[in-house]
């Protein structure tokens, strides 16, 4: 069973860059029909897809965040990462990494537990 | 972006009741529709994909139907473990988008 675990600072100052890493265990991020996504959820609100990466097919980003987002992958560590620049209080949320199946169907079938990131000075 | 609209926003029902949650897409998404359950303090859990295919391990009292713009999630006999917030998600186009959620409470 694939497991995902987010890690990174829980507090980021306004205008700085939020950096998170997702470590995948129980399967290789290089194999199969899977992309690897980041999704966030402000407290008490709904889910927002941030973007995704696949090693040989590149990335897709949410246009609403595209100018500030970079998702990268380190296959040697079986990790993928999120960088979100110029953060404001509106970026305060629980950030999830998720396995993104994109083949004959499209869904997120494995999620990390989530990590709360607060943007505050 | 494709807007996903769920109704109702919340439902309170008794154990054993049948409940239905509706998800409407602002444009057709074929059958590229998934449903998730999120319990308080936990990550979402995939329930249904392809509008009607049950994810492994999900109880058969849950079912999904629909295509195009209109979809439903039905719980045939509500159980205490079904409490939580349910989200639909379209996989037809980018950006992937979710409904605003339907909170299910047990009376």
């Amino acid at each position: 069973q694939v497991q995902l675990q987010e890690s990174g600072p829980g507090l980021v100052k306004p205008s700085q860059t939020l950096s998170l890493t997702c470590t995948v265990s129980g399967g290789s991020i290089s194999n199969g029909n899977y992309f690897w996504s980041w999704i966030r959820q402000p407290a008490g609100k709904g889910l927002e897809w941030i973007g995704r990466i696949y090693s040989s097919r590149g990335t897709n980003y949410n246009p609403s965040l595209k100018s500030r987002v970079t998702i990268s992958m380190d296959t040697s560590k079986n990790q993928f990462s999120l960088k979100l620049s110029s953060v404001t209080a509106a970026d305060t949320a629980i950030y999830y990494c998720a396995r993104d199946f994109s083949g004959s169907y499209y869904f997120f079938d494995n999620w990390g537990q989530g990590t709360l990131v607060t943007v505050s000075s | 972006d494709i807007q996903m609209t769920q109704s109702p926003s919340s439902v309170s029902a008794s154990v054993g009741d049948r409940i239905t949650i509706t998800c409407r897409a602002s444009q057709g998404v074929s059958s590229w529709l998934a449903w998730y359950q999120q319990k308080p303090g936990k990550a979402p859990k995939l329930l249904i994909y392809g509008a009607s295919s049950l994810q492994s391990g999900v109880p058969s009292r849950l079912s999904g139907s629909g295509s195009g713009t209109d979809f439903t999630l039905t719980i045939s006999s509500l159980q205490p473990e079904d409490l939580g917030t349910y989200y639909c998600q379209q996989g037809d186009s980018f950006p992937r988008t979710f409904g605003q959620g339907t909170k299910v409470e047990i009376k």
Side-chain angles (χ1 to χ4, degrees), chain B residues 3-35:
Chain B
Q3 305 302 316
M4 308 299 292
T5 304
Q6 291 180 229
S7 61
S9 56
S10 66
V11 57
S12 181
S14 299
V15 171
D17 283 354
R18 179 186 183 93
I19 68 167
T20 297
I21 299 169
T22 296
C23 176
R24 175 163 288 178
S26 60
Q27 62 190 74
V29 298
S30 187
S31 294
W32 309 132
L33 192 285
W35 289 97

Side-chain angles (χ1 to χ4, degrees), chain A residues 39 41 45-49 52 60-64 96 100-109 111-114, chain B residues 1 31-34 36 38 41-46 49-50 53 55 87 89 91-92 94-100:
Chain A
I39 297 161
Q41 185 174 37
K45 296 189 177 181
L47 298 158
E48 180 182 33
W49 179 76
R52 69 178 192 174
N60 302 103
Y61 296 134
N62 191 322
S64 68
Y96 296 101
D100 178 344
F101 182 82
S102 290
S104 50
Y105 296 100
Y106 305 93
F107 50 77
F108 306 104
D109 64 346
W111 298 62
Q113 64 185 25
Chain B
D1 299 5
S31 294
W32 309 132
L33 192 285
Y36 303 84
Q38 185 177 34
K42 300 294 186 182
K45 172 189 172 184
L46 175 67
Y49 61 92
S53 295
Q55 173 69 342
Y87 294 94
Q89 172 250 321
D92 179 78
F94 293 104
R96 302 299 194 225
T97 48
F98 294 83
Q100 81 281 12

